[in-house]
Amino acid sequence: MADEDQVTHRVDPTLRPLFDTVIPPDRWAGGWDGGVERLLRDHGSDFLSWSESPLEAAVQAVERAALRVHQRSFAALAAEDRSAVFAALLAEEREGGALDALITVAYQGYYAGSREPAGWAMVGYSAVPNGVDPVDSADPRGIDAESLAESYDVIVVGAGAGGGAVAAELAERGQHVLLIDRAQPMRNEELRGNHLQGKRTGRYDVRVGPHAGNPRVLEHPDGSAEVLRAEGDALAYGLNAMVLGGGTRVWQGMSWRFWEQDFRMASTYGVPAGSTLADWPFEYSELEPYYERAEWELGVAGDADSAVGRMTPRRRGYPMPAMPTDRTRDAFTAAARLLGLTTSPIPFAINTIPRGGRAACVRCAQCIGHACPVNAKNGVQNTFIPRALATGRADLFLGAQVTAIQHDGNGTATGVVGVVSDTAGQRRFRVRADRVVVAAGTIETARLLLASGLGNDWVGRNHMTHGVALAIAGDSPDIKETIGPGHSVATVDFVHHDPDGWGGGVIFDAALQFPYDKAQAGRQLAPAPFGAAHKTWMRETPNLVGTMSMVQEIPHEQTRVLLDPVLTDRHGMPAARLRGTAHDATRANVTAMAGHCADWLRAAGGGRIVTREMPIAPQGQEHSAGTARLSSDPATGACDPQGRLWGTRNVYVADASLHVTNGGFNPALTVIANALRVGTLIPD
């Protein structure tokens, strides 16, 4: 709770009738008592401080209108007169105005502002199924700075998908490993149930998102630049999760293999002008044994006999059966048949049966962006990292940021230096090592290598994510159940289907929307964004249905990660400067896939379909890749085929930075598979 002297908004008597006009009381609480007052009381001085000015402007606007039309204050008007005044002002207001901000705060308080806001009961939403008792698990505390060994065989920087996997591989081979991550220890209970501060909100992500003092600079196509301050803004860091396990701690678990063609994109499609497109320095067959290991050691549930399983050569099936079918999968499968398409259940890194001493999935409705209530979702934090620590040869050092890799100037790293934040405050640390593996995430890996003066001109170049195509039905059939994981069915019929299509991408049903997300979508889809019509629409319309595609991105030659010459983080390390634009081939690919998304949705009964095309996220996002790409020649990439940084003897990379291309699928399984491969190739 905020202290009384931190209260910002609740003292204004006009706010209650304003918020109760947006969400009026009926058999369910109105906006003010339903969560808005509590949200403003608790957070009006911190992450909601942005709303102070627009809310004051909204109060002034309705007061002036009420006095002009009714010669009475807004609070003294009857409910229907308040609604009429509000509607008239809203109709005149430009997008992003004061009333628009007020509606946003109303939705946040009523549908997301606490663990069980009033709006959840109104729409029948429950984050965890009835009868399920959530279990909690805590991160290992790791060691403190005083317990660091003087020297290690290997230091691994970053405890996400790649770092966790490579640490386990090396420790189990007998290496003395230090695994470093700037994340602080957290409990799973802290990472679920909060729809304002979870990974997927896009704002206020103060739990697993970037923290104060870690800015970035984003260059715009017109030459201007914007400082991304990142204080709790998930979008500023592209939804990257800074927590033990990285994105695999709070992901939805999609675990796809890249296709054979993904490893030879340049040979298959040619290299378009202005791109850095290239082939990987090895074929799919080189990675296949490690894909198998990743699926079995992480724990993936899927159907090897489906199109998804058949289209990538494999020696072994999945370790667990696919998620059971549901109305969504049944409806989209029937629709696909009408279009002559095939479908498959999505492979998920989620226990569909008890496995590894952990329970099976209970189909909770907030899987995406949240920690699992029964620890059935598999990530490196509950698979590979515990294995590494169990050897007794791995130390985990949390709350520690590596600011530079020390080296002799001739390509031999000698260790790392950085800053650790713990109960004793902030302290500098220095640790020696025979080898250093960087797995800090695509942007942070490039930043660390550049700040350390390591690598060639390819470090930071080739940055790519995925294009995204999305189709949403304004008139949705009642086929989207309120159950997890949130996605269910996919078609891969548009992956490498068109010789001119630049690889296409997978299409799957769009994620189950949380109540707050649905309310925001209702601004365009509902009869009105406020009042009784809004509440009726929220209660009576089914869950929104959509389709989306992860689209192969063709990396642009101008898209890269640099060091800003002026701006630094709180520890004095140069900030990342991000430059990028979408290649025309990516734009064309996204446009084509948006059409396919709409066609499939229409066949499933969707009406009033709206499509969105998002060809690139230059600030990076959770699928970022390519900034230290593999190559057989230092003239065409940053790392050799074994993951060793060109120009060094003992510095390796083991995350998505190595990807030469990023496929038309979520890349996490490929990150883990390749990290295992790199780990086997690092000499003792």
Side-chain angles (χ1 to χ4, degrees), residues 416-433:
V416 302
V417 295
V419 180
V420 60
S421 302
D422 56 21
T423 55
Q426 293 188 354
R427 291 171 289 164
R428 299 277 172 181
F429 68 88
R430 183 189 309 269
V431 191
R432 295 205 310 266

Side-chain angles (χ1 to χ4, degrees), residues 140-208:
R141 303 297 301 183
I143 63 171
D144 56 27
E146 287 71 25
S147 301
L148 288 168
E150 185 175 324
S151 181
Y152 291 84
D153 295 326
V154 185
I155 291 175
V156 179
V157 182
V166 78
E169 176 65 29
L170 292 167
E172 290 176 340
R173 268 180 41 202
Q175 300 291 290
H176 189 197
V177 177
L178 176 64
L179 179 60
I180 303 178
D181 201 285
R182 64 178 169 181
Q184 296 288 346
M186 298 192 76
R187 306 187 68 86
N188 264 6
E189 196 274 340
E190 298 177 83
L191 298 173
R192 61 175 180 258
N194 187 324
H195 289 194
L196 273 186
Q197 294 173 289
K199 176 170 174 281
R200 287 284 171 167
T201 61
R203 194 165 188 168
Y204 312 147
D205 194 352
V206 298
R207 281 166 169 69
V208 301

Side-chain angles (χ1 to χ4, degrees), residues 21-88:
T21 299
V22 177
I23 304 177
D26 45 26
R27 55 180 293 197
W28 290 277
W32 188 253
D33 291 334
V36 173
E37 188 271 341
R38 177 171 52 186
L39 180 68
L40 291 174
R41 181 187 67 219
D42 293 349
H43 298 293
S45 297
D46 46 62
F47 67 69
L48 268 181
S49 60
W50 67 269
S51 68
E52 183 171 8
S53 293
L55 291 187
E56 288 178 357
V59 168
Q60 293 169 7
V62 298
E63 279 300 304
R64 286 194 300 268
L67 291 171
R68 183 178 66 252
V69 177
H70 297 282
Q71 292 77 52
R72 301 174 68 188
S73 72
F74 186 79
L77 298 180
E80 59 269 24
D81 292 331
R82 291 181 196 160
S83 182
V85 167
F86 191 90

Side-chain angles (χ1 to χ4, degrees), residues 119-120 122-126 326-328 332 363-366 471-484 486-487 509-519 521-522 525 536-547 601 604-607:
W120 286 14
M122 186 189 78
V123 301
Y125 176 87
S126 178
D326 50 38
R327 290 205 313 271
T328 304
F332 275 108
R363 309 297 294 269
C364 83
Q366 62 174 15
I472 294 293
D475 294 326
S476 294
D478 188 9
I479 61 174
K480 192 73 172 179
E481 297 180 60
T482 309
I483 57 175
H487 303 279
D509 58 306
L512 173 70
Q513 292 190 312
F514 298 151
Y516 171 68
D517 301 320
K518 181 180 177 180
L525 301 176
T536 299
W537 184 84
M538 287 291 295
R539 289 194 303 267
E540 297 182 359
T541 57
N543 289 326
L544 297 178
V545 177
T547 50
L601 180 56

Side-chain angles (χ1 to χ4, degrees), residues 390-448:
T391 67
R393 293 184 292 273
D395 289 336
L396 178 64
F397 191 30
L398 294 177
Q401 179 182 335
V402 174
T403 56
I405 300 169
Q406 293 193 302
H407 57 93
D408 64 1
N410 293 310
T412 299
T414 57
V416 302
V417 295
V419 180
V420 60
S421 302
D422 56 21
T423 55
Q426 293 188 354
R427 291 171 289 164
R428 299 277 172 181
F429 68 88
R430 183 189 309 269
V431 191
R432 295 205 310 266
D434 295 332
R435 292 168 297 282
V436 176
V437 180
V438 185
T442 294
I443 292 174
E444 293 300 306
T445 286
R447 177 186 176 216
L448 178 58

Side-chain angles (χ1 to χ4, degrees), residues 380-398:
V380 296
Q381 81 286 345
N382 57 13
T383 55
F384 290 100
I385 292 175
R387 279 172 41 191
L389 299 178
T391 67
R393 293 184 292 273
D395 289 336
L396 178 64
F397 191 30
L398 294 177

Side-chain angles (χ1 to χ4, degrees), residues 11 18 35 74 88 234 264 268 277 296 411 416 433 440 550 560 583 681:
V11 295
L18 256 177
F74 186 79
R264 49 176 191 266
T268 301
L277 189 65
W296 282 79
V416 302
M550 290 292 113
R560 65 188 306 175
H583 195 280
L681 297 173

